[in-house]
Amino acid sequence: MRSLLAKGETRVISILSSINNWVQSIIASAGYPGLGLVMVLENLFPPIPSEVIVPFAGYMTFKGHFNLAAVIGVATAGSLVGALILYGLGWWLDESRVRRLVCYYGRYAMLSEKDLDRALAWFRRYGELTIFFARLVPIVRSVISVPAGLARMSIIRFVGFTALGTGLWSFLLAWAGRTLGANWSLVADFVSRYQDIVMVLLVAALFLFLVRRLGSRIANFRS
């Protein structure tokens, strides 16, 4: 049993390594269009990690091949396009159909029904601001677009929150890749290791924001 699990884990690592190599070759050979394309795919296929894509592009700015502002802009635009596709999926399909899609085909994108449930719970509990905060959390940052579509969230607000959150995420990753230079791959290791801590901090920040907003509304009501 353990040997089978070890073989399965080795296979997954091999697949992810191949994906990362493919992503880097696309960006290096196709430039900004390649970066935009893989960022669209990153939203639709979460095993393509933005914490590899954008730091590598940031490293390319360190080498003088890319411009940092352009990398941030293209990465943000690509993510926004991918997010809009998933938003549209949620808009046109009801939750039961989306759930069936995830159950039947999610394994090909390494997504589970549990990932969908977590994204739905976040959106229902914290509202539209989740779209901004979730862009900083791996996996959830992709799936969260579906609940927004299911809830018929205003597309203007969806685009605004997505652009702000994704822009911040892209800036942090690109800047880190540029700063680390040849050690840019350490960014992915850091994100993977500390993503649970990041999620806790984001939830805490969102909770404090909601408490303050509620407090200000109560104060205005009393006055």
Side-chain angles (χ1 to χ4, degrees), residues 185-206:
S185 60
L186 295 177
V187 177
D189 294 334
F190 178 86
V191 172
S192 176
R193 184 175 301 176
Y194 296 106
Q195 65 177 343
D196 291 339
I197 296 176
V198 171
M199 289 177 66
V200 170
L201 291 176
L202 289 173
V203 171
L206 181 57

Side-chain angles (χ1 to χ4, degrees), residues 212-223:
R212 289 180 179 179
R213 187 171 68 173
L214 179 61
S216 64
R217 287 185 177 181
I218 294 175
N220 292 335
F221 177 78
R222 290 177 176 177
S223 61

Side-chain angles (χ1 to χ4, degrees), residues 54 68 72 75-76 165-177:
V54 186
L68 184 61
I72 296 170
T76 301
T166 302
L168 175 59
W169 181 245
S170 298
F171 165 75
L172 293 173
L173 294 181
W175 175 81

Side-chain angles (χ1 to χ4, degrees), residues 64-76:
H65 299 301
F66 285 167
N67 174 271
L68 184 61
V71 165
I72 296 170
V74 172
T76 301

Side-chain angles (χ1 to χ4, degrees), residues 103-180:
C103 289
Y104 292 149
Y105 304 108
R107 62 181 180 274
Y108 299 111
M110 296 186 182
L111 283 175
S112 67
E113 193 173 6
K114 184 178 179 180
D115 296 323
L116 176 62
D117 288 335
R118 182 165 60 171
L120 288 168
W122 276 42
F123 190 83
R124 288 166 179 165
R125 183 171 184 180
Y126 300 110
E128 296 181 351
L129 275 175
T130 310
I131 300 301
F132 169 78
F133 287 102
R135 298 302 173 190
L136 307 176
V137 182
I139 302 297
V140 177
R141 66 188 308 272
S142 297
V143 188
I144 197 64
S145 300
V146 177
L150 289 170
R152 301 294 194 271
M153 178 180 176
S154 165
I155 193 169
I156 295 177
R157 291 198 297 273
F158 176 80
V159 169
F161 283 133
T162 298
L164 288 173
T166 302
L168 175 59
W169 181 245
S170 298
F171 165 75
L172 293 173
L173 294 181
W175 175 81
R178 179 182 176 87
T179 302
L180 291 174

Side-chain angles (χ1 to χ4, degrees), residues 19-20 22-28 30-45 48-50 52-54 56-57 74-75 78-79 82 141:
I19 290 173
N20 292 341
W22 175 78
V23 164
Q24 294 172 41
S25 65
I26 289 293
I27 296 174
Y32 293 122
L35 173 60
L37 173 63
V38 293
M39 288 303 291
V40 173
L41 296 177
E42 180 261 343
N43 271 264
L44 305 177
F45 190 68
I48 301 177
S50 59
V52 170
I53 299 170
V54 186
F56 176 71
V74 172
S79 289
R141 66 188 308 272

